[in-house]
Amino acid sequence: MHSKNNELNLLLVKYQKISLLNKIIAILDWDTNVNLPPNASEGRARQIALLTEELADLWLDKEFKSAFEKAKESKKLTEVETAIIRNLDRAAKYYFKVPKEIIVEKAQTTSEAFMIWQKAKQENKFKDFLPILKRIIKLNQIIADHLGYRKNRYDALLDLYEPELVAETASKIFTTLQPKLTQLLKKIQKSKGYFETSPLIEAEPTYPQQDQKQLLSFIIKKMNYDLDSGRIDTSSHPFETVLDRHDIRITTRYNLKDFRESFYSAMHEAGHALYEQGINPDYSETPLENGTSYAIHESQSRFWENQIGRNPNFIEYIAPLFQAFYPEQLKDSGAPTLIKLFNQVRPGFIRTEADEVTYNLHIILRFELENDLLNNKLDPADLPQIWNIKMKKYLGVTPPSDSKGVLQDVHWSYGYFGYFPTYCLGNLYAAQITASIKKEIDIDKILKSGELGTILSWLKEHIHQHGSLYLPQKLITDISGEQLNPDFFIEYLNQKYSQIYDF
Ligand code: MG
């Protein structure tokens, strides 16, 4: 990319190094998650730490900073140039405002915390995690104070993951959502169609990995994920990563007793990958090169996983394929059974295993706790107790242990405060986007024939190609004519699940 503005050109040249270094770090991260022998983790941490410091130095480079200050004052910038400055401003803020020693202290504390968390979770000992968790919360408070905020300290952290998001807005959305979700869950549990277990999962027969692999390979090709510019591997936590414009990778995991898991996690991660593969190539290695926010990114993965993958019409199309791969296991289970199985709703303890109806309740709980922790309204020592009270209130279940309760997620050990809400917003955006697509395309009809290309073209035109050119609120307003509105999601759930569960 070239600009008529000299400062901006210098910035773009300098940014390209940042972009490349980020991708080199991402390759190491990918390798850590996919291939690393157990004894190599310490050495790998040192390698990543070195490059992370190099990265901080690139951001703090004097020439870069002064070109940035001058470029910010330029007048008559184009739309693209304005977005470049805005995105750089957001990304650089962390390095410019937070003292380097705090950044380093946080990196050290969180890498230590990960090991402590892992052991505490294994041994179900929250007390062992508590001291370092307190330090992480304190560091996040210090960082928030350096970054600055208007009303709520938590806002400064939310903004790191989701531009423009403040706690007040999130809280307003979540307070509307929570009672409606809890109410819908109760309706489903009381319905005729409710079931706790199915003989098709968590029992004999099992589903060979090779078959699962072929099935998901079929589906990601069907989605038009370009495997000449990507690949799929196995890792314990599925993810998507961008190593280059032509190297956008995904991972999945296999559960031999539950064939749904690899299939839907592949659709989810491929949804993230399609977003990145669809971005305007001109934006490559510039501050516009990635998806615009965590929530919009998650809207794309959730769109493919849930709005498409769990759509009854699509399951009708795909059911014969499942039966062809698992002829013995699914011999009496046609589309009607699979529609129910793939849309099973059951309140559980674990967020990552949650269904569409209960998932956001897990997020709302975490948002409320983070907000209170950051504002010193909750003593971290009381977390397990408050966690369980909220689980009972929102989901009607009480975790049998802290491992399956407050210790389940890795995020706090990484120091990620403010990340969780983007998962919920992603689900809400996906429903709102689907409603917009339905105004132009008869999704249900084309899904019956497995035709996915038209849908991808729509997403590419309205969302993917823009990369980070537009902020989330502008993007969703351009698409749907209004700001993020949780009613779309509630309506979608009520309509779908009243049919499936017959109430
Ligand atoms: Mg995701």
Side-chain angles (χ1 to χ4, degrees):
M1 191 184 277
H2 190 83
S3 162
K4 283 178 189 160
N5 180 311
N6 286 337
E7 265 74 37
L8 214 86
N9 259 335
L10 180 64
L11 280 178
L12 286 172
V13 170
K14 295 247 175 202
Y15 181 82
Q16 193 175 26
K17 275 194 180 177
I18 291 178
S19 166
L20 290 173
L21 190 51
N22 266 324
K23 293 182 178 96
I24 295 167
I25 296 172
I27 296 170
L28 288 182
D29 278 331
W30 174 86
D31 183 68
T32 307
N33 282 286
V34 174
N35 292 319
L36 202 72
N39 290 343
S41 63
E42 225 176 276
R44 178 54 49 84
R46 279 202 309 276
Q47 294 158 1
I48 292 176
L50 173 73
L51 295 182
T52 307
E53 223 179 309
E54 293 288 321
L55 188 64
D57 289 340
L58 287 180
W59 280 107
L60 294 169
D61 175 76
K62 276 186 191 143
E63 242 185 312
F64 179 76
K65 211 172 168 180
S66 77
F68 182 56
E69 294 306 328
K70 279 183 203 152
K72 270 208 280 191
E73 277 152 29
S74 318
K75 294 189 175 89
K76 286 190 195 163
L77 291 174
T78 64
E79 186 181 41
V80 164
E81 289 167 345
T82 308
I84 287 174
I85 297 286
R86 182 198 65 219
N87 291 353
L88 276 180
D89 208 16
R90 282 184 43 76
K93 193 167 83 174
Y94 188 74
Y95 295 96
F96 291 172
K97 291 195 173 178
V98 182
K100 200 176 167 186
E101 60 269 20
I102 297 289
I103 294 178
V104 172
E105 193 185 334
K106 192 190 166 202
Q108 279 163 350
T109 310
T110 50
S111 71
E112 205 185 320
F114 174 71
M115 306 302 285
I116 296 173
W117 164 77
Q118 221 172 17
K119 196 157 173 275
K121 183 183 171 180
Q122 256 166 27
E123 296 171 358
N124 190 33
K125 283 185 184 159
F126 177 74
K127 278 203 172 98
D128 290 356
F129 183 51
L130 183 59
I132 200 151
L133 177 63
K134 282 184 179 169
R135 268 169 63 202
I136 291 174
I137 294 166
K138 185 80 208 153
L139 279 166
N140 268 292
Q141 290 172 328
I142 294 170
I143 288 168
D145 292 347
H146 280 292
L147 290 170
Y149 51 86
R150 258 186 241 151
K151 278 190 189 163
N152 181 338
R153 194 184 242 165
Y154 191 30
D155 294 347
L157 302 174
L158 287 167
D159 188 72
L160 290 177
Y161 303 99
E162 198 58 20
E164 303 177 310
L165 183 66
V166 289
E168 198 177 4
T169 314
S171 177
K172 222 167 122 188
I173 292 172
F174 295 165
T175 347
T176 318
L177 213 53
Q178 183 269 317
K180 289 181 180 170
L181 292 174
T182 304
Q183 196 190 5
L184 174 60
L185 175 61
K186 283 182 183 156
K187 267 192 203 166
I188 291 172
Q189 286 175 300
K190 279 188 206 144
S191 73
K192 285 173 269 174
Y194 187 69
F195 62 106
E196 293 255 328
T197 50
S198 159
L200 296 174
I201 48 163
E202 301 299 337
E204 296 299 331
T206 59
Y207 303 87
Q209 181 165 325
Q210 200 45 41
D211 293 340
Q212 294 194 34
K213 220 172 181 169
Q214 282 182 24
L215 257 167
L216 65 84
S217 145
F218 170 84
I219 190 64
I220 59 177
K221 278 182 206 149
K222 191 89 197 157
M223 287 165 70
N224 293 300
Y225 170 53
D226 179 4
L227 278 156
D228 288 330
S229 296
R231 53 180 283 139
I232 179 158
D233 293 274
T234 309
S235 68
S236 57
H237 297 282
F239 65 99
E240 172 260 3
T241 184
V242 181
L243 309 181
D244 177 69
R245 184 162 79 78
H246 294 295
D247 189 359
I248 295 164
R249 302 186 189 185
I250 61 173
T251 69
T252 190
R253 66 174 163 210
Y254 299 94
N255 178 346
L256 298 187
K257 288 190 176 287
D258 190 346
F259 62 104
R260 297 173 297 184
E261 212 174 299
S262 61
F263 187 77
Y264 282 110
S265 81
M267 282 194 87
H268 180 100
E269 301 308 334
H272 281 300
L274 286 176
Y275 188 2
E276 295 287 336
Q277 286 187 335
I279 292 172
N280 183 345
D282 290 347
Y283 298 166
S284 187
E285 293 165 18
T286 78
L288 305 177
E289 68 182 333
N290 296 116
T292 191
S293 78
Y294 281 70
I296 298 294
H297 233 296
E298 191 69 5
S299 81
Q300 293 311 288
S301 56
R302 287 301 207 175
F303 175 83
W304 287 102
E305 178 193 354
N306 290 334
Q307 300 287 342
I308 301 299
R310 291 191 167 88
N311 180 311
N313 297 291
F314 181 69
I315 298 171
E316 230 170 81
Y317 158 77
I318 199 100
L321 195 75
F322 276 101
Q323 287 191 301
F325 271 96
Y326 309 125
E328 277 305 306
Q329 300 95 318
L330 300 182
K331 72 173 175 285
D332 302 318
S333 309
T337 307
L338 293 180
I339 289 171
K340 282 194 164 180
L341 189 65
F342 292 159
N343 286 292
Q344 183 186 14
V345 174
R346 191 179 58 165
F349 313 120
I350 308 298
R351 174 186 62 86
T352 55
E353 294 168 6
D355 54 78
E356 280 185 289
V357 175
T358 57
Y359 187 90
N360 294 308
L361 292 167
H362 291 268
I363 299 302
I364 293 168
L365 172 153
R366 285 156 177 77
F367 165 81
E368 291 172 351
L369 296 179
E370 288 189 350
N371 194 14
D372 285 349
L373 286 169
L374 266 304
N375 289 298
N376 293 325
K377 286 182 185 159
L378 168 62
D379 182 349
D382 295 333
L383 268 173
Q385 208 188 341
I386 306 293
W387 183 283
N388 291 355
I389 291 170
K390 284 187 189 280
M391 280 297 285
K392 182 78 190 163
K393 187 177 163 203
Y394 298 163
L395 286 141
V397 295
T398 308
S401 64
D402 289 338
S403 302
K404 292 193 170 174
V406 68
L407 285 173
Q408 67 183 269
D409 289 308
V410 69
H411 299 61
W412 289 345
S413 83
Y414 283 159
Y416 295 171
F417 279 81
Y419 188 124
F420 283 123
T422 66
Y423 289 134
C424 174
L425 297 189
N427 290 322
L428 306 185
Y429 276 122
Q432 192 161 338
I433 290 165
T434 306
S436 296
I437 300 177
K438 280 186 169 172
K439 284 183 200 158
E440 294 170 35
I441 301 169
D442 188 346
I443 292 187
D444 293 333
K445 191 177 159 206
I446 61 174
L447 285 185
K448 274 192 180 141
S449 60
E451 158 52 28
L452 302 178
T454 321
I455 295 170
L456 179 60
S457 302
W458 193 99
L459 293 172
K460 198 171 169 181
E461 186 193 333
H462 293 87
I463 301 169
H464 299 176
Q465 62 159 329
H466 302 305
S468 310
L469 182 61
Y470 304 124
L471 288 173
Q473 290 297 352
K474 162 145 173 69
L475 198 64
I476 196 67
T477 310
D478 286 352
I479 289 170
S480 68
E482 60 179 302
Q483 304 252 308
L484 181 62
N485 177 354
D487 291 348
F488 287 102
F489 182 70
I490 289 294
E491 204 182 305
Y492 154 71
L493 288 185
N494 276 312
Q495 211 200 2
K496 178 174 170 184
Y497 287 92
S498 62
Q499 271 178 18
I500 292 174
Y501 281 88
D502 193 16
F503 59 83

